[in-house]
């Protein structure tokens, strides 16, 4: 596209800056401080591959935003099986361009109908949530209808300058002193509903995550962000935040807590692939954890097709291959999982359970942290998602001339990886013993619902060969920069 770049419909990037700041503080407390530049995290793949914005065509080219009778629907055709399903989605044989066939079908029905039909066939698709009438374009955006807003400043201002060791009972944790970082991932502190599962340390059952997502808390699947009104700080540098601060994940007790660990004491077993999970593992590795990357001998990580991207995410990791189809291979992998301090996986709950490798099938030692990444959460395990359509599901899109366009490159993936790293690091700090249920849709929605700016309007103007954003309120301007290559890409400098 050659027109002016579109401003974000909400200050999502500002929230990403604050999230990176929170991660830096937390990793510095339990390991090696990790300072990351959010622009490089969000646009690193685009910089490595020379991706450009494509409007209603995703930067990577596999997703499209299609106009429906009542709005918009994102569909992703990134795999051969997805293309094979187009005829079934549209209800007739398709011999030509599959996107043209989908566009015609989309216009005859609602966005929810198209998304549900595609999802029924295993094709990633998502209806764009209704755009609130109060949403301003392109500046002064208002939170969408999905959830209460996250306060970007609350993330940084409520992180303590000194560490407060939580003193909690493993099975009934009630902090002896207010510590919002403990509340960040503590199941009892956020009042999730426990169920029963096995423990490898005692015959009596301990509270655990819902089996395969079958049981869910009877409330909004977001928990209190650190520094909410009921956990104030006395320090002037960490004032209490107002109400409505949320994080986009749930936490469930699966084992006793184990305090006093550093990330350098932890072994991470990464069963995930592509971007979100590997980015989380990458950040944990930079913070000092030992990362073991697991792949199937029959189905290696699809990100290997993008060599520089894969090397960026997995530099310094140990690689292990297992035959998931054989009993011996599954037994070897189970042994590795059982030895891990942190497990990262992005599988459908039922798929891991059938292999005997899910969180409800494995014993959990004290302090175990299990990060479960899905498209829509463990409570909605059959819906599939990729980064671009998951962002649309969460309402995180740009707007041009009153119509939606894709935001960045598969932006739900890196945002989910960043949130996952923050959640896991906070869990290490507070003793672990939990399962973290984080979906890409919820991560995208949290950033889409970032609170409005208190200044503007912003104008994008052409200055020769470049674009510049001007803020009349502050009488300041900032050039629009191209995507930058992350500093830690092996053999690559910033561009």
């Amino acid at each position: 596209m050659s027109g002016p770049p579109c401003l974000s419909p909400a200050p999502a990037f500002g929230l990403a800056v604050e999230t990176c700041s929170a991660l830096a503080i937390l990793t510095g407390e339990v390991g090696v401080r990790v300072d990351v530049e959010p622009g490089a995290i969000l646009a690193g793949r685009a910089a490595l591959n020379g991706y450009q914005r494509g409007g209603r065509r995703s930067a990577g080219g596999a997703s499209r935003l299609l106009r429906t009778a009542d709005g918009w629907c994102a569909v992703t055709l990134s795999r051969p099986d997805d293309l094979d399903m187009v005829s079934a989605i549209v209800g007739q044989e398709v011999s030509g361009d599959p996107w043209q066939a989908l566009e015609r079908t989309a216009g005859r029905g609602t966005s929810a109908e198209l998304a549900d039909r595609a999802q029924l066939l295993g094709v990633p698709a998502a209806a764009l949530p209704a755009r609130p009438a109060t949403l301003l374009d392109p500046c002064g955006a208002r939170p969408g209808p999905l959830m209460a807003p996250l306060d970007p400043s609350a993330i940084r201002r409520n992180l303590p300058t000194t560490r407060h060791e939580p003193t909690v009972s493993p099975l009934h944790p009630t902090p002896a002193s207010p510590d919002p970082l403990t509340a960040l991932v503590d199941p009892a502190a956020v009042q999730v509903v426990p169920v029963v599962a096995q423990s490898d340390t005692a015959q009596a059952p301990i509270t655990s995550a819902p089996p395969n997502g079958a049981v869910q808390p009877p409330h909004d699947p977001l928990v209190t962000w650190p520094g909410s009104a009921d956990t104030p700080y006395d320090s002037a540098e960490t004032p209490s935040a107002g109400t409505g601060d949320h994080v986009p994940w749930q936490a469930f007790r699966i084992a006793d807590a184990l305090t006093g660990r550093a990330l350098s004491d932890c072994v991470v077993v990464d069963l995930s692939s592509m971007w979100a999970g590997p980015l989380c593992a990458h950040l944990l590795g930079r913070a000092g954890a030992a990362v073991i990357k697991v792949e199937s001998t029959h189905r290696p990580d699809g990100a290997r097709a993008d060599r520089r991207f894969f090397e960026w995410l997995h530099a310094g990791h140990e690689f292990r291959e297992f035959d998931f189809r054989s009993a011996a291979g599954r037994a070897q992998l189970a042994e590795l999982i059982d030895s891990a301090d942190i497990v990262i996986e992005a599988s459908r709950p039922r798929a891991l359970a059938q292999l005997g490798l899910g969180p409800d099938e494995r014993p959990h030692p004290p302090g175990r942290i299990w990060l479960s990444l899905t498209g829509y959460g463990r409570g909605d395990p059959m819906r599939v998602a990729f980064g671009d359509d998951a962002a649309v599901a969460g309402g995180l899109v740009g707007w041009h001339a009153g119509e939606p366009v894709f935001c960045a490159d598969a932006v739900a993936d890196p945002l989910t990886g960043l949130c996952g790293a923050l959640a896991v690091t906070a869990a290490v700090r507070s003793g672990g013993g939990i399962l973290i249920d984080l979906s890409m849709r919820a991560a995208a929605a949290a950033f889409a619902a970032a609170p409005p700016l208190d200044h503007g309007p912003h104008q994008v103007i052409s200055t020769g060969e470049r674009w510049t954003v001007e803020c009349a309120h502050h009488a300041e301007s900032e050039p629009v920069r191209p995507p930058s290559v992350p500093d830690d890409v092996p053999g690559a400098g910033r561009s």
Side-chain angles (χ1 to χ4, degrees):
M1 297 182 70
S2 58
C6 300
L7 297 175
S8 170
F13 187 79
L15 183 55
V17 172
E18 298 295 341
T19 305
C20 289
S21 296
L23 180 65
I25 294 171
L26 279 174
T27 51
E29 289 195 4
V30 297
V32 179
R33 180 183 173 103
V34 176
D35 290 288
V36 294
E37 202 283 301
I41 288 288
L42 299 181
R45 188 176 74 164
L48 289 170
N49 292 301
Y51 290 164
Q52 301 291 324
R53 54 196 171 96
R56 290 194 290 275
R57 179 180 181 273
S58 66
S63 302
R64 304 282 178 93
L65 271 164
L66 306 176
R67 189 191 302 272
T68 65
D70 67 342
W72 298 87
C73 181
V75 178
T76 299
L77 303 178
S78 61
R79 305 163 297 185
D81 288 349
D82 299 330
L83 291 167
D84 292 342
M85 289 297 170
V86 171
S87 294
I89 294 173
V90 303
Q92 63 183 42
E93 187 66 30
V94 175
S95 58
D97 184 350
W99 289 114
Q100 290 184 1
L102 285 171
E103 287 175 356
R104 290 191 295 269
T105 299
R108 294 193 291 265
T110 69
S111 54
E113 289 170 348
L114 178 59
D116 288 345
R117 192 183 313 161
Q119 286 283 352
L120 185 64
L121 297 167
V123 176
L128 178 65
R131 191 180 182 205
T134 56
L135 185 63
L136 303 180
D137 181 13
C139 182
R142 295 294 184 268
L146 292 176
M147 60 185 66
L150 267 165
D151 180 358
S153 61
I155 302 175
R156 178 181 292 170
R157 70 173 183 254
N158 290 289
L159 290 170
T161 55
T162 58
R163 179 168 178 168
H164 300 263
E165 284 292 347
T167 54
V168 299
S169 165
L171 300 185
H172 303 285
T174 303
S177 60
D179 185 351
L181 292 179
T182 301
L184 177 63
V185 292
D186 189 295
V190 298
Q191 299 180 340
V192 300
V193 176
V195 296
V196 172
Q198 298 181 30
S199 168
D200 65 325
T201 58
Q203 295 298 318
I206 63 173
T207 55
S208 173
N212 298 329
V215 178
Q216 293 293 315
H219 55 71
D220 191 296
L222 301 180
V223 298
T224 304
W225 190 261
S228 63
D230 57 349
T231 54
Y233 270 97
D234 295 329
S235 168
E237 295 184 11
T238 54
S240 63
T243 59
D245 304 322
H246 295 82
V247 294
W249 60 79
Q250 297 172 272
F252 301 90
R253 177 66 66 190
I254 58 173
D256 295 357
L258 180 64
T259 58
R261 284 185 306 175
L263 274 168
S264 59
D265 302 323
C266 295
V267 172
V268 177
V269 171
D270 178 18
L271 305 173
S272 67
S273 60
M274 301 305 289
W275 196 349
L279 175 60
C280 175
H282 167 78
L283 295 171
L284 296 176
R286 288 182 57 182
V291 179
I292 299 174
K293 165 72 172 179
V294 171
E295 293 180 275
S296 166
T297 54
H298 300 284
R299 189 178 180 183
D301 190 341
R304 283 186 174 276
D306 189 341
R307 182 181 59 82
R308 296 179 71 200
F309 177 62
F310 185 85
E311 290 176 353
W312 167 42
L313 294 177
H314 298 289
H317 296 177
E318 179 183 345
F319 291 85
R320 302 265 190 99
E321 286 188 348
F322 296 91
D323 183 354
F324 287 27
R325 299 177 183 176
S326 73
R330 293 192 296 272
Q332 292 168 352
L333 178 53
E335 183 178 355
L336 177 64
I337 291 173
D338 292 348
S339 69
D341 300 288
I342 300 167
V343 177
I344 301 172
E345 51 89 2
S347 302
R348 292 183 182 182
R350 188 172 66 179
L352 275 185
Q354 289 174 339
L355 296 174
L357 302 174
D360 298 298
E361 288 70 46
R362 307 313 313 160
H364 298 297
R368 160 71 56 76
I369 298 166
W370 190 293
L371 176 62
S372 178
L373 302 175
T374 58
Y376 291 82
R378 293 177 66 83
D380 197 357
M382 299 309 296
R383 296 185 77 87
V384 294
F386 284 85
D388 286 302
D389 55 88
V392 171
L396 185 54
V397 295
W399 292 91
H400 175 68
E403 296 185 346
V405 293
F406 283 108
C407 180
D409 169 31
V411 70
D413 268 307
L415 288 177
T416 302
L418 180 61
C419 287
L422 180 64
V424 169
T425 305
V428 170
R429 184 187 183 280
S430 59
I434 62 170
L435 180 145
I436 299 166
D437 180 2
L438 172 61
S439 77
M440 291 200 294
R441 175 192 179 273
F447 285 84
L453 300 173
D454 60 0
H455 56 85
H458 293 155
Q459 306 249 347
V460 182
I461 64 171
S462 175
T463 54
E465 296 182 355
R466 305 183 67 178
W467 295 97
T468 300
V469 179
E470 292 189 344
C471 177
H473 181 83
H474 290 300
E476 294 179 351
S477 63
E478 185 75 18
V480 177
R481 296 182 176 89
S484 57
V485 174
D487 283 327
D488 53 345
V489 171
R494 293 291 292 270
S495 62

